Amino acid sequence: MADCLFCRIVSKKIPADVVAESPEALAFRDINPQAPVHVLVIPKEHIAGVLDLDKGRSETLSEMMSMAQDVARKEGIDRTGFRLVFNCGADAGQAVDHLHLHCLGKRALAWPPG
Ligand code: AMP
Ligand code: ZN
């Protein structure tokens, strides 16, 4: 989608600090990090959000989870702990309508979240 921010990152029209890439998914550092490690994992294909991730897309989700595991290991938060978050819709504060998995760590994360 030409007007989607994360599609533009996938097509390299907007620069990003990429930490992992596969044919199906991309991981890059959040521009406004909420923790010392804050990486976004996205599918390269445009999927608007969690509610658009139907059963036929289970491989996409599996690829994203696999990449999140790689990111956790690379960033050294696999042992200390980390949080994976999908914001979905207005109440969760979803700002970008391209599916993305937040991967946060390297500090103690409060629970419940705000
Ligand atoms: P959400 O609120 O779940 O939709 O998260 C969107 C995230 O995208 C926010 O944490 C933003 O800081 C992040 N973001 C927005 N623009 C960029 C960008 N150009 N590069 C990296 N991260 C971005
Ligand atoms: Zn998109």
Side-chain angles (χ1 to χ4, degrees):
M1 283 210 355
D3 59 346
C4 168
L5 175 66
F6 288 175
C7 282
R8 290 171 71 82
I9 285 178
V10 169
S11 63
K12 316 283 187 207
K13 287 179 183 131
I14 292 176
D17 187 354
V18 172
V19 297
E21 183 162 12
S22 75
E24 294 84 24
L26 186 70
F28 53 94
R29 293 191 197 285
D30 196 293
I31 205 166
N32 182 23
Q34 301 301 311
V37 172
H38 188 172
V39 172
L40 302 174
V41 178
I42 68 168
K44 286 188 170 176
E45 179 191 2
H46 182 85
I47 297 171
V50 166
L51 294 173
D52 304 281
L53 197 58
D54 55 33
K55 278 189 177 172
R57 290 218 164 102
S58 57
E59 280 183 20
T60 303
L61 191 54
S62 163
E63 175 65 20
M64 290 172 72
M65 279 296 168
S66 171
M67 187 166 281
Q69 290 176 338
D70 290 347
V71 167
R73 292 188 186 106
K74 269 190 194 171
E75 298 292 318
I77 53 174
D78 52 326
R79 287 169 184 272
T80 49
F82 58 96
R83 185 169 293 160
L84 300 179
V85 176
F86 284 110
N87 287 324
C88 184
D91 277 357
Q94 183 178 0
V96 178
D97 288 335
H98 180 129
L99 185 68
H100 50 282
L101 180 59
H102 295 260
C103 181
L104 299 138
K106 231 160 205 166
R107 72 166 169 84
L109 299 161
W111 190 264

